[in-house]
Amino acid sequence: MSSDQDHLKETDTEARFEFKKEEASAFKSEKGLTEETIRVISEDKDEPEWMLERRLRALRQFQEMPMPTDWPGQPDLSEVDIDEIVPYIRPDIDVRGGVDDWEDLPDDIKDTFDKLGIPEAEKNALSGVGAQYESEIVYQNMQEQWEEKGVIFMDMDRAVQEHPEIVKEHFMTKCVPPSDNKFAALHGAIWSGGSFVYVPEDTTVNMPVQAYFRMNSEGMGQFEHTLIIAEENSEVHYIEGCSAPKYSSFNLHSGGVEVFVKEGAHVQYSTVQNWSKNTYNLNTKRAIAEKDATMEWVSGSMGSKATMLYPSTILKGPGATDNHITIAFAGEGQDIDTGAKVYHNAPNTKSTIESKSIAKDGGRTNYRGLVHIADGAENSSTSVECDALMFDNESTSDTMPYMEIEESKVDVAHEATVGKIGDEDVFYLQSRGLDDDDAKQMIVAGFIEPITEELPIEYAVELNRLIELEMEGSLG
Amino acid sequence: MSVQLETISEETVRELSEGRDEPEWLLQQRLDALEALDELPFPDVIQTPGRKWTDLADLDYESMVDPFSQTEEKEWEADDGIDVLPFHEAVEREESLVRDAFGSVVDPETNYLTALSTALFSTGTVIYVPEGVDAEDVTIRTTMNGRSLFNYTLVVTEKSSSVTILERQETGEDLDGSRYYSGLTEIVGGENAYVQYGSLQDLDQETYNYQLKEAEVDTYGQVDFIDVNIGSRLTKSSVETHLNGDSSETKMVGAFYGHDDQHFDIDARVWHNAEHTTADLVTRGVIDDEARSVYEGVQNVGREAWDTNSYQRENTLMLSDESEADASPKLIINNHDTEASHSATVGQVDQQDLFYMESRGVNERLAKNMLVEGFYVPVLEEIEVEELREDLTERVRERLRARA
């Protein structure tokens, strides 16, 4: 454990995320979004006809839907102009679907991921790694012991080719249909890359699998799709990491995540996103949990200019459980609008949501959540806890939960608090010899501990380090 | 967004105003409100994707709003030393007072329904409490008899005065079909003044009800609202306090009991606009049968509101499986020197409490009823007017007795 920590401490996290690379692409689509662009992407990927059809239908839905503007206090999206986005960039790499030996990666891409610490993490703690550079997965590996048990971990483009039946059934049909919202439709039209995870019945993958997404080019959009299917009584932990350097024009990230948690299965989806501060991060992530299944979302939202992200779970089978743990950190110029959605559609379902947010230097955090308990979902219970910490008077912290309760035999509780960093706490730590900055950092570390303790150590260390960096900005 | 009412024109408004010998400025206010109708949206209702929690636009105002059949009975009781006057008598006797205060807290153009109310109101009350006067109890009792009634209550309190007001709304003789009650209340809370304004809405279940009660509070002042909703088919009630003076305070207490197919849309909002302000929001509601409650509470802490304390609790008890309770307690925090929290719960009568009482020999039905009555205690404790406490308790008991 200590060696991992040392490794991550030695790497300057800022340098890890902020460096830029010359753009080197084999294929780059035109800016903007037309039917022609979609056809070109689909053709370049050699996709079956049904996928092209789905893309085109999603495009039509995207064109028909208005931009979301009517939510109270929602982030400003007026700058998001799809016509300025390059939706698809295929990096210059020969092997479609990525290489499976790290050494086979082109040097500049390898260098990128080395800096991000990906190979190190793979060696130490993971069952498999996928790395996406721009729109394509460039590296993909799954440890043999899992492959032998029938676990599949590959990029989505390859899954379309190799597992068409499973993908056709699950891809943007029941979980996140393109009609769900404008950005889901956009995603359905131009998605590219992402991960496909399939865990057979009664199989426990006891080390996490990880995908890392890197946006390197200016003015691009990244639209990776993640599809996770955990069959009955299986268990898997999937981790996603994201980053992009900062350019002057904006980037758009509009990913789609669909998770199918079958009877008795257990899926944990963890992510720490650290997009650059000109990225609009507009995602749709959803899980369907069957009888006695458990879905866990653990997410840290650090980067981006504006984030609108509300991972949701549909508790479809009796006894299904959902846990959400989220942390949001908004610094200068950032608007992190994030929360959780849970639909209790069956009896004896249970959900807990724990949300922590930190706003600083004029940043805004908002918890926007929805808990819906359907008629007939008796003996369901939900508990929502939101705590916000504010550093200064330029910042804003909002809480907007929505509760729709159609069933009486339920236990619904929501609680939220907002406060500033406690002067007494700082004073106490100072009296023990810490300086002001260290005291504040320690308080923040304690504040987010419920999140970090759910993450594998590498991620926990990274999250703490990122927050330290963010805080140093004004504390130093 | 808005609806066009054939029955209302400039003529209508002029006739209404002339019939009451109103001064030109009041007529002008009405006409401005009328003109704004075209542009104004309905009151905000909470929306989540695919769902509008309350739909007002679907109401058939055309069939309910009849400006010239506004009839009611009104009673006033008050202590000596303060002016409690029927609205139009106040306009005659205290014109400059009314003119200054009217529309100063409630913007008539807040939404379509407030503008409609301003254009058409025919009755109301002005309460004026001079500096240093402690007025104990003021009671206003309105019994609505016509198809529609638009009521206006204006409360002005001077420095270091205090007053406790109870306003009740009921319906009189039966009518075929639906009716519409609309009430605006504006309260000017003076420096160091104290106001408790309680209202008991007990309209019949054919009545659609819209009310907006809004207060501004000056330095060291306190305005408390008690908003009790028992009756009506559909209620949209908003209670709002602007804490504009340093160290001002508000308590916003809500209670409702919905049964049959009643729909209550209740919101409580507070704006902390000054330093050292305190707000405490407490709402407790019971819903039964196919009733539905929609609750929104907003604590808005402004950039300049240093040292704010703001608390909100909302609890709903569901007695039936067909009922629905929706809640959205919101915090909007722009100053970090704030202690703010909110909590909300929805659930049934506590099974352990029930079991405990049964084990002490209380039969289930009685035990349940006692627990429902007990549920309102935190709200009852905040009500200063005995009559309001008793009435709420009695209405709750009646409903519990009537349960099958």
Side-chain angles (χ1 to χ4, degrees), chain A residues 174-390:
Chain A
K174 299 168 239 187
C175 201
V176 181
S179 57
D180 190 77
N181 66 71
K182 179 130 181 131
F183 292 96
L186 176 67
H187 174 86
I190 53 176
W191 75 273
S192 183
S195 310
F196 175 73
V197 179
Y198 179 85
V199 187
E201 256 180 70
D202 302 315
T203 306
T204 299
V205 183
N206 57 15
M207 288 162 99
V209 294
Q210 185 193 20
Y212 204 94
F213 301 108
R214 173 79 180 172
M215 250 197 283
N216 206 55
S217 302
E218 182 160 5
M220 85 164 288
Q222 194 170 40
F223 307 93
E224 82 285 352
H225 192 89
T226 302
L227 177 58
I228 299 170
I229 299 162
E231 293 288 1
E232 286 182 21
N233 302 311
S234 67
E235 193 173 334
V236 67
H237 181 183
Y238 175 85
I239 307 178
E240 212 171 82
C242 325
S243 69
K246 188 178 166 96
Y247 290 101
S248 53
S249 64
F250 76 98
N251 284 329
L252 173 63
H253 173 252
S254 189
V257 175
E258 302 184 279
V259 186
F260 293 85
V261 197
K262 303 285 171 71
E263 192 174 326
H266 186 143
V267 175
Q268 180 172 340
Y269 174 99
S270 305
T271 179
V272 176
Q273 67 89 359
N274 188 37
W275 298 114
S276 68
K277 287 176 187 162
N278 62 339
T279 299
Y280 285 86
N281 185 38
L282 311 165
N283 294 289
T284 310
K285 300 185 178 184
R286 190 168 303 146
I288 297 176
E290 307 281 353
K291 185 169 179 246
D292 298 324
T294 301
M295 178 67 208
E296 302 197 62
W297 299 96
V298 178
S299 60
S301 297
M302 306 284 308
S304 85
K305 175 170 191 170
T307 284
M308 290 177 80
L309 170 61
Y310 323 97
S312 60
T313 300
I314 299 165
L315 297 169
K316 191 180 164 199
T321 300
D322 168 77
N323 298 314
H324 269 87
I325 299 179
T326 74
I327 176 161
F329 188 111
E332 191 180 348
Q334 288 186 277
D335 190 342
I336 309 287
D337 201 282
T338 183
K341 266 201 293 188
V342 184
Y343 293 86
H344 290 258
N345 289 347
N348 307 314
T349 50
K350 190 171 180 286
S351 64
T352 61
I353 297 167
E354 211 177 328
S355 159
K356 302 254 180 188
S357 72
I358 300 165
K360 188 171 159 293
D361 298 333
R364 172 183 183 258
T365 57
N366 181 27
Y367 172 82
R368 195 187 296 275
L370 170 65
V371 173
H372 182 99
I373 300 189
D375 195 7
E378 55 182 44
N379 303 318
S380 288
S381 69
T382 179
S383 142
V384 181
E385 245 187 272
C386 306
D387 296 309
L389 194 59
M390 291 174 79

Side-chain angles (χ1 to χ4, degrees), chain A residues 70-72 341 366 370 372 375 378 390-420, chain B residues 46-49 51 53 303-304 306 318-348:
Chain A
D70 55 350
W71 291 9
K341 266 201 293 188
N366 181 27
L370 170 65
H372 182 99
D375 195 7
E378 55 182 44
M390 291 174 79
F391 264 88
D392 50 58
N393 206 36
E394 283 66 56
S395 304
T396 302
S397 182
D398 301 342
T399 312
M400 300 184 183
Y402 297 86
M403 284 170 268
E404 300 178 334
I405 315 300
E406 296 175 352
E407 166 63 46
S408 69
K409 291 186 202 72
V410 292
D411 191 355
V412 175
H414 175 99
E415 220 177 298
T417 63
V418 175
K420 62 177 170 180
Chain B
I46 310 175
Q47 295 185 36
T48 50
R51 279 169 70 100
W53 287 10
R303 191 72 73 203
E304 302 309 317
W306 295 88
M318 291 173 89
L319 298 183
S320 118
D321 225 12
E322 282 69 51
S323 56
E324 177 170 350
D326 301 337
S328 181
K330 294 187 171 112
L331 287 166
I332 315 286
I333 312 292
N334 291 298
N335 186 304
H336 75 299
D337 189 10
T338 297
E339 226 180 84
S341 68
H342 70 211
S343 66
T345 64
V346 181
Q348 288 185 301

Side-chain angles (χ1 to χ4, degrees), chain A residues 4-225:
Chain A
D4 295 343
Q5 268 181 334
D6 290 345
H7 157 71
L8 282 152
K9 267 195 178 154
E10 278 159 21
T11 317
D12 182 353
T13 312
E14 191 163 26
R16 285 173 60 203
F17 292 110
E18 287 298 327
F19 65 92
K20 296 173 188 176
K21 283 274 170 191
E22 287 296 312
E23 199 182 301
S25 58
F27 177 84
K28 187 173 174 180
S29 69
E30 295 293 309
K31 276 188 188 176
L33 192 55
T34 61
E35 195 177 314
E36 192 47 38
T37 312
I38 305 294
R39 286 185 186 279
V40 169
I41 295 173
S42 188
E43 199 178 319
D44 190 57
K45 290 177 178 301
D46 201 15
E47 280 180 351
E49 188 63 21
W50 61 265
M51 184 52 87
L52 175 63
E53 289 300 321
R54 281 193 197 177
R55 287 181 184 276
L56 293 173
R57 201 181 60 177
L59 176 68
R60 285 193 293 277
Q61 284 167 323
F62 170 74
Q63 285 160 344
E64 279 160 21
M65 272 186 252
M67 283 288 269
T69 53
D70 55 350
W71 291 9
Q74 75 161 67
D76 179 10
L77 302 180
S78 56
E79 197 191 16
V80 179
D81 180 358
I82 303 302
D83 293 333
E84 285 301 314
I85 289 275
V86 178
Y88 179 58
I89 299 176
R90 174 153 58 82
D92 186 11
I93 178 167
D94 293 337
V95 188
R96 182 172 297 279
V99 298
D100 59 6
D101 187 339
W102 199 257
E103 293 309 314
D104 291 343
L105 278 175
D107 283 345
D108 60 334
I109 293 179
K110 193 163 62 185
D111 185 39
T112 302
F113 286 109
D114 280 344
K115 278 193 180 150
L116 292 165
I118 305 298
E120 200 63 30
E122 183 192 13
K123 253 182 277 166
N124 294 330
L126 301 168
S127 308
V129 163
Q132 175 160 344
Y133 197 79
E134 318 293 27
S135 305
E136 295 270 347
I137 289 279
V138 292
Y139 172 76
Q140 190 80 54
N141 192 28
M142 181 78 196
Q143 292 190 6
E144 242 167 58
Q145 50 168 324
W146 305 115
E147 262 172 12
E148 280 163 12
K149 289 185 178 166
V151 179
I152 305 169
F153 177 45
M154 59 172 57
D155 76 282
M156 269 309 294
D157 294 307
R158 209 170 114 203
V160 171
Q161 309 290 346
E162 294 182 17
H163 302 282
E165 289 314 311
I166 306 177
V167 175
K168 198 172 175 179
E169 185 189 338
H170 295 92
F171 183 88
M172 299 195 83
T173 50
K174 299 168 239 187
C175 201
V176 181
S179 57
D180 190 77
N181 66 71
K182 179 130 181 131
F183 292 96
L186 176 67
H187 174 86
I190 53 176
W191 75 273
S192 183
S195 310
F196 175 73
V197 179
Y198 179 85
V199 187
E201 256 180 70
D202 302 315
T203 306
T204 299
V205 183
N206 57 15
M207 288 162 99
V209 294
Q210 185 193 20
Y212 204 94
F213 301 108
R214 173 79 180 172
M215 250 197 283
N216 206 55
S217 302
E218 182 160 5
M220 85 164 288
Q222 194 170 40
F223 307 93
E224 82 285 352
H225 192 89

Side-chain angles (χ1 to χ4, degrees), chain B residues 342-398:
Chain B
H342 70 211
S343 66
T345 64
V346 181
Q348 288 185 301
V349 168
D350 189 278
Q351 293 303 309
Q352 272 186 11
D353 292 349
L354 206 57
F355 177 78
Y356 175 81
M357 289 174 79
E358 282 174 353
S359 76
R360 298 281 155 147
V362 183
N363 76 45
E364 192 192 336
R365 181 172 169 161
L366 182 60
K368 205 167 179 176
N369 288 357
M370 285 168 76
L371 287 169
V372 174
E373 274 187 51
F375 176 74
Y376 285 104
V377 166
V379 166
L380 290 167
E381 278 173 350
E382 303 293 342
I383 305 176
E384 285 176 19
V385 185
E386 197 182 337
E387 186 184 336
L388 182 50
R389 273 198 311 270
E390 282 171 2
D391 279 352
L392 173 58
T393 310
E394 190 44 46
R395 290 295 179 282
V396 169
R397 269 186 205 151
E398 269 170 28

